């Protein structure tokens, strides 16, 4: 079975500090991995994705994630948090052509 | 393009009532999906469709029906609503292996 675990349901950082949101997956096949962001009362927006090739993936809004096969991880980072980054973040793995499995989400709070 | 649209935005039902959540996309995507989002559980796939006339079950299909008569529309039907179906419902679409686009969601409460 394929699944996604996000460590920490809530993360709080100060404005300008490093953002690190953790995601581990289990997969029996090479995974397609995604990070989505959800702002209050909105749908999900794609931040970045890993399919094949370069393991360091750059996304929108200054976020990036690194696929580490040996650690089965796909952690999301941003060097310097902005107030506008406050949202909920979801890691997901595509388990076949028709289905994606999502983590439980991590709510990011940015303190001034 | 409007992208993925969903109606209604909010709905309150009584136990046993039926209703249809509407979803439409104008991007000519063949893949469409319905998810429910519950606190602490992320999104879970209810049903999906790979094209007009073709639907299949996802992870949590019980209590829901779908049909896909056109490429654009993918309604989700609750035949007899239960309190356990209180959730936020998201429709999504994508073309082949491309990015999945999500609608704004429908917040459903079943009393």
């Amino acid at each position: 079975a394929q699944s996604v675990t996000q460590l920490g349901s809530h993360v709080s950082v100060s404005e300008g500090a490093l953002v690190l949101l953790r995601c581990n997956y289990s997969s029996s096949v090479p995974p397609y991995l995604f990070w989505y962001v959800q702002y209050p009362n909105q749908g999900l927006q794609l931040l970045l994705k890993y399919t094949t090739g370069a393991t360091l993936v750059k996304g929108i809004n200054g976020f990036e994630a690194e696929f580490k096969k040996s650690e089965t991880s796909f952690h999301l980072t941003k060097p310097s948090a902005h107030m506008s980054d406050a949202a909920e973040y979801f890691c997901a793995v595509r388990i076949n052509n028709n289905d994606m499995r999502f983590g439980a989400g991590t709510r990011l709070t940015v303190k001034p | 393009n409007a992208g993925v649209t969903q109606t209604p935005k909010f709905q309150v039902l009584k136990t046993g009532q039926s209703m249809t959540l509407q979803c439409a996309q104008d991007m000519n995507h063949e893949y469409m999906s319905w998810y429910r989002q519950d606190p602490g559980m992320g999104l879970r796939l209810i049903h999906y469709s790979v094209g007009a006339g073709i639907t299949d079950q996802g992870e949590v299909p019980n209590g829901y029906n779908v049909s896909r008569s056109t490429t654009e529309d993918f309604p989700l039907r609750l035949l007899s609503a239960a309190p356990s179906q209180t959730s936020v419902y998201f429709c999504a679409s994508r073309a082949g292996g491309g990015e999945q686009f999500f609608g704004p969601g429908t917040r459903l409460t079943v009393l």
Side-chain angles (χ1 to χ4, degrees):
Chain A
Q2 306 198 41
S3 66
V4 178
T5 302
Q6 291 183 238
L7 299 177
S9 59
H10 291 87
V11 170
S12 180
V13 301
S14 297
E15 192 172 20
L18 171 72
V19 175
L20 171 61
L21 305 183
R22 300 177 186 274
C23 173
N24 288 88
Y25 69 90
S26 64
S27 173
S28 57
V29 298
Y32 284 12
L33 295 160
F34 304 80
W35 274 100
Y36 286 86
V37 61
Q38 184 181 33
Y39 298 101
N41 300 315
Q42 294 187 24
L44 278 68
Q45 300 175 30
L46 182 67
L47 272 178
L48 49 80
K49 64 180 179 182
Y50 169 79
T51 53
T52 59
T55 56
L56 181 62
V57 180
K58 295 187 184 297
I60 62 172
N61 302 339
F63 284 93
E64 62 183 34
E66 186 171 11
F67 169 59
K68 292 187 176 180
K69 184 178 179 180
S70 61
E71 298 178 6
T72 61
S73 69
F74 191 56
H75 302 332
L76 181 71
T77 61
K78 182 174 180 178
S80 177
H82 294 168
M83 297 297 291
S84 60
D85 294 327
E88 189 151 19
Y89 293 80
F90 292 93
C91 182
V93 59
R94 180 169 289 167
I95 65 171
N96 57 45
N97 205 32
N98 303 311
D99 195 2
M100 291 178 70
R101 295 299 163 96
F102 288 80
T106 297
R107 184 169 300 279
L108 176 67
T109 301
V110 182
K111 299 174 292 185
Chain B
N1 286 350
V4 180
T5 58
Q6 292 183 236
T7 56
K9 290 186 177 180
F10 301 93
Q11 182 71 50
V12 178
L13 293 178
K14 295 181 180 178
T15 297
Q17 286 184 315
S18 64
M19 79 160 295
T20 299
L21 308 185
Q22 301 292 344
C23 174
Q25 53 94 7
D26 60 359
M27 297 172 282
N28 203 34
H29 289 167
E30 61 266 35
Y31 291 91
M32 296 187 74
S33 308
W34 275 102
Y35 293 86
R36 59 178 290 172
Q37 183 181 26
D38 302 292
M41 301 189 72
L43 276 73
R44 291 179 292 166
L45 182 66
I46 305 171
H47 285 286
Y48 65 91
S49 169
V50 300
I54 306 170
T55 63
D56 207 344
Q57 297 180 349
E59 186 182 1
V60 288
N62 293 341
Y64 308 95
N65 282 348
V66 292
S67 60
R68 183 99 179 267
S69 57
T70 68
T71 299
E72 294 78 20
D73 300 299
F74 190 44
L76 178 72
R77 281 184 287 277
L78 286 71
L79 298 179
S80 179
S84 61
Q85 294 178 303
T86 294
S87 187
V88 182
Y89 292 85
F90 289 99
C91 180
S93 75
R94 63 181 173 91
E99 176 184 346
Q100 186 152 240
F101 292 86
F102 286 83
T106 294
R107 188 174 297 273
L108 175 68
T109 300
V110 182
L111 303 175

